[in-house]
Amino acid sequence: MSSHAAGTSNGGSGDAAAAGAARRNTRMPKYSKFTQQELPACKPILTPKWVVSVFFIVGVIFVPIGVVSLLAAQDVVEIIDRYDEACVPVNMTDNKLAYIQNETISKECIRNLTVTKDMKQPIFVYYELDNFYQNHRRYVKSRNDAQLRDKRKANQTSACEPEKTMANGQPIVPCGLIAWSLFNDTYSFTRGNENLTVDKKDISWKSDREHKFGKDVFPSNFQNGALKGGATLNASIPLSEQEDLIVWMRTAALPTFRKLYGRIYFDLKENDTITVRLSNNYNTYSFGGKKKLVLSTATWLGGKNDFLGFAYLVVGSLCMFLAFAFTLLYVIKPRKLGDHNYLSWNRHPAGR
């Protein structure tokens, strides 16, 4: 009897071990309501009244938002002046590239702008470039963020080709094509005998100044090569204070973009004449680009942008139309709903 019991015991242990091994080797996950999608869930029934109500509520909310956004955009006053062609000397209009590359030809240009409506301070000064693809993959990657943050990593110029080192191997700080092509047109403004000073403080993002550009990192060997791409930098000012550079290195997603140049803290009256003295240094002629100077006010919604208002209006109007159409369809040709009790999640387990 004892041997039979021992055999039974050994057999039971063997079966248990085999079952345990089978459980370990199976790919079946451990049962849970989460994995089997049996957790309580909201399963709404989209009745006609529910659908019409949702469309109507969305329409009632979106249409007023669209109207308010358009009204706010209409309050923005903009003066836009394209000067890249107007500033080319008459005798060089057929060879603009030779004009911009010839350093002996003066690039100074004077433009007169007329204020069309009263403009309250602050007045934002932008430069706008067209057909400039800052989002090109090779251009975007041509920088080294570690070098911009930490002076101890000045030699880290990976991904900065072709502007990474000088001929003698010395690193360029900041390196890369983005910094090398820094915009270098300049503007000054006067109204009669009054000088309209451009404030260039805090034109960049605070997070960029504090976290992406080091306070102890100074320009070195920048634009010292044979071919200069754009503006030079003051070697005695840290990168965290070179705000024109910081603004430029936040690359744009589209080929037409604006970047903040500064702010004017003067009120301008309708019909005022603003004299702009600019230096037309930046080469956009080689790739068929355009340059524009923009003076703009702002509202609580920001600058001039009609798209947001139109988008709200279109979506809200469409929802109102669908609500009316579904209501009309429900009244003219109603459709009886099925019995909810026949839905799978409402059936009693015994009846399955």
Side-chain angles (χ1 to χ4, degrees):
M1 181 180 294
S2 61
S3 63
H4 175 71
T8 304
S9 175
N10 293 337
S13 299
D15 293 343
R23 280 195 299 271
R24 286 193 298 271
N25 294 330
T26 184
R27 296 188 175 207
M28 182 182 297
K30 183 180 179 181
Y31 173 80
S32 72
K33 289 187 176 182
F34 176 76
T35 57
Q36 298 303 316
Q37 299 184 15
E38 294 178 357
L39 292 172
C42 177
K43 301 174 182 177
I45 307 298
L46 297 179
T47 63
K49 292 181 180 179
W50 172 254
V51 173
V52 168
S53 299
V54 170
F55 277 126
F56 181 76
I57 292 173
V58 171
V60 168
I61 294 174
F62 274 41
V63 169
I65 293 177
V67 172
V68 171
S69 299
L70 283 177
L71 292 176
Q74 294 302 316
D75 289 337
V76 176
V77 182
E78 279 190 350
I79 301 174
I80 303 175
D81 179 53
R82 180 183 175 185
Y83 63 88
D84 58 297
E85 290 187 343
C87 288
V88 178
V90 178
N91 62 334
M92 303 206 70
T93 53
D94 294 332
N95 197 351
K96 300 171 184 175
L97 190 58
Y99 152 75
I100 199 69
Q101 292 178 341
N102 191 335
E103 295 183 358
T104 63
I105 300 177
S106 174
K107 303 302 188 296
E108 299 302 313
C109 182
I110 296 178
R111 304 286 293 165
N112 292 314
L113 309 179
T114 301
V115 180
T116 55
K117 292 175 62 177
D118 290 353
M119 302 178 72
K120 294 186 177 298
Q121 60 175 300
I123 298 169
F124 297 87
V125 182
Y126 299 93
Y127 56 88
E128 180 178 313
L129 296 180
D130 180 62
N131 200 36
F132 192 113
Y133 289 82
Q134 272 199 321
N135 60 348
H136 191 284
R137 182 178 64 86
R138 188 177 180 187
Y139 183 87
V140 171
K141 291 176 63 178
S142 186
R143 61 187 292 168
N144 191 293
D145 291 324
Q147 185 202 59
L148 298 174
R149 287 192 303 265
D150 192 347
K151 69 175 182 179
R152 295 170 296 181
K153 299 180 180 179
N155 292 323
Q156 292 191 14
T157 57
S158 59
C160 284
E161 293 182 352
E163 294 296 319
K164 55 188 300 185
T165 58
M166 299 291 294
N168 58 6
Q170 291 294 317
I172 298 173
V173 182
C175 66
L177 284 174
I178 305 178
W180 176 78
S181 60
L182 176 61
F183 188 76
N184 62 343
D185 284 6
T186 59
Y187 314 101
S188 62
F189 303 87
T190 57
R191 179 177 54 183
N193 296 324
E194 183 182 15
N195 183 37
L196 305 179
T197 305
V198 179
D199 184 6
K200 300 179 71 68
K201 185 174 177 58
D202 295 338
I203 61 174
S204 60
W205 289 20
K206 184 179 178 181
S207 58
D208 287 353
R209 296 194 301 270
E210 295 182 351
H211 303 294
K212 292 188 176 182
F213 294 82
K215 296 180 180 180
D216 57 352
V217 181
F218 293 84
S220 174
N221 300 315
F222 186 70
Q223 301 287 21
N224 286 346
L227 184 61
K228 291 185 178 180
T232 58
L233 298 175
N234 190 331
S236 63
I237 300 177
L239 296 186
S240 61
E241 297 179 18
Q242 308 258 12
E243 297 204 48
D244 284 325
L245 173 70
I246 298 173
V247 170
W248 179 256
M249 295 198 67
R250 179 164 284 277
T251 52
L254 300 175
T256 299
F257 59 87
R258 293 178 182 179
K259 290 186 181 290
L260 186 60
Y261 182 82
R263 301 179 185 89
I264 297 176
Y265 288 98
F266 291 88
D267 292 334
L268 302 180
K269 299 298 181 181
E270 185 176 356
N271 296 324
D272 278 354
T273 299
I274 308 301
T275 301
V276 184
R277 289 177 172 82
L278 61 89
S279 296
N280 183 31
N281 299 315
Y282 203 69
N283 182 9
T284 56
Y285 308 105
S286 60
F287 56 87
K290 301 175 184 178
K291 291 189 291 186
K292 297 176 184 177
L293 172 64
V294 181
L295 303 182
S296 175
T297 59
T299 64
W300 59 271
L301 199 58
K304 193 174 186 65
N305 184 3
D306 294 331
F307 174 78
L308 184 64
F310 280 120
Y312 272 108
L313 274 180
V314 169
V315 174
S317 301
L318 182 61
C319 289
M320 295 287 284
F321 170 77
L322 291 176
F324 176 76
F326 286 163
T327 301
L328 197 63
L329 183 64
Y330 181 67
V331 171
I332 295 175
K333 193 175 180 180
R335 181 180 178 183
K336 185 179 179 181
L337 292 176
D339 190 349
H340 300 171
N341 294 323
Y342 285 96
L343 294 172
S344 61
W345 55 82
N346 287 334
R347 293 185 200 166
H348 193 276
R352 293 184 180 178

